[in-house]
Amino acid sequence: MSNKHTILSALKQSALDQHAMPAMDVVANNDDLVGQFNASLNTVAGTLHSEGGLAALQQAVDELIQQNMQVISLLDGIKGNRQVPETAHDLADIDYAVIPGDLGVAENGAIWVNQPSHRVTPFICENLILALAKDNIVANMHQAVKQVALQPGELGLFIAGPSKTADIEQALVVGAHGACSLNVYLY
């Protein structure tokens, strides 16, 4: 028997018995989910736009285009000035990416994004814009994880604010590893 098999056999024999996960009954605060979501989003350096819906989003995108910004939109009905490229390498100069959000979480400002096209899009753009239906906000992560699902090969993730780190000299740096800003438009 090889060393690898000897070690794995020993680990298997010393493994603890399986125990059922404890029941977690968390009472959700469903009062003013949009207000809770806004407060949480602010704490993670995101900005909520709750008035005007998709028309306000398209107006904001049009203003960005007038400022010569490169805007890509993966959201049906919102038109940027760049097409979705064949390869992710062609996203390197994108200033703003508009992506649909599937589910918002009021307790922490996180938004579930099921990203079917280029996986790098929310991370490589300078600024991220997410569009989220008002009815798709839940109170907490306990409710959220019950509603999200992925098909094999899909990427899904919770995005909570722009990229940030605080490990350099105890100073918060926004945009260190990805998008420098996050704007969320409710519709």
Side-chain angles (χ1 to χ4, degrees):
M1 182 180 276
S2 71
N3 287 340
K4 176 182 172 183
H5 291 296
T6 302
I7 293 169
L8 291 175
S9 294
L11 287 173
K12 195 177 214 179
Q13 291 174 359
S14 67
L16 299 175
D17 293 333
Q18 292 284 332
H19 295 283
M21 292 294 294
M24 297 182 72
D25 295 324
V26 176
V27 178
N29 179 3
N30 291 311
D31 298 333
D32 188 21
L33 291 177
V34 172
Q36 288 182 57
F37 182 74
N38 184 29
S40 296
L41 192 61
N42 284 332
T43 64
V44 295
T47 304
L48 182 67
H49 304 270
S50 57
E51 301 298 324
L54 295 178
L57 173 53
Q58 184 63 62
Q59 182 179 358
V61 168
D62 292 342
E63 290 171 8
L64 292 169
I65 292 170
Q66 289 175 359
Q67 298 169 20
N68 295 321
M69 298 291 174
Q70 299 300 306
V71 182
I72 188 171
S73 177
L74 303 178
L75 179 63
D76 291 336
I78 301 297
K79 184 165 175 42
N81 59 349
R82 291 282 296 272
Q83 298 297 318
V84 177
E86 292 292 321
T87 68
H89 295 285
D90 295 328
L91 292 169
D93 64 338
I94 296 296
D95 296 307
Y96 286 84
V98 179
I99 300 174
D102 297 312
L103 184 69
V105 184
E107 76 175 348
N108 60 10
I111 300 160
W112 175 257
V113 175
N114 190 354
Q115 184 66 29
S117 61
H118 300 301
R119 295 175 178 213
V120 72
T121 304
F123 313 109
I124 200 168
C125 63
E126 285 294 316
N127 302 282
L128 183 58
I129 299 172
L130 296 176
L132 178 67
K134 286 181 184 178
D135 295 339
N136 289 350
I137 298 175
V138 296
N140 58 41
M141 289 298 287
H142 295 279
Q143 293 174 332
V145 297
K146 292 177 183 175
Q147 294 187 29
V148 298
L150 290 173
Q151 298 301 316
E154 286 185 334
L155 169 72
L157 63 148
F158 283 101
I159 296 176
S163 166
K164 53 196 152 309
T165 185
D167 60 346
I168 302 169
E169 298 180 10
Q170 299 180 357
L172 179 63
V173 178
V174 177
H177 312 302
C180 295
S181 71
L182 172 65
N183 284 279
V184 178
Y185 282 81
L186 291 184
Y187 62 93

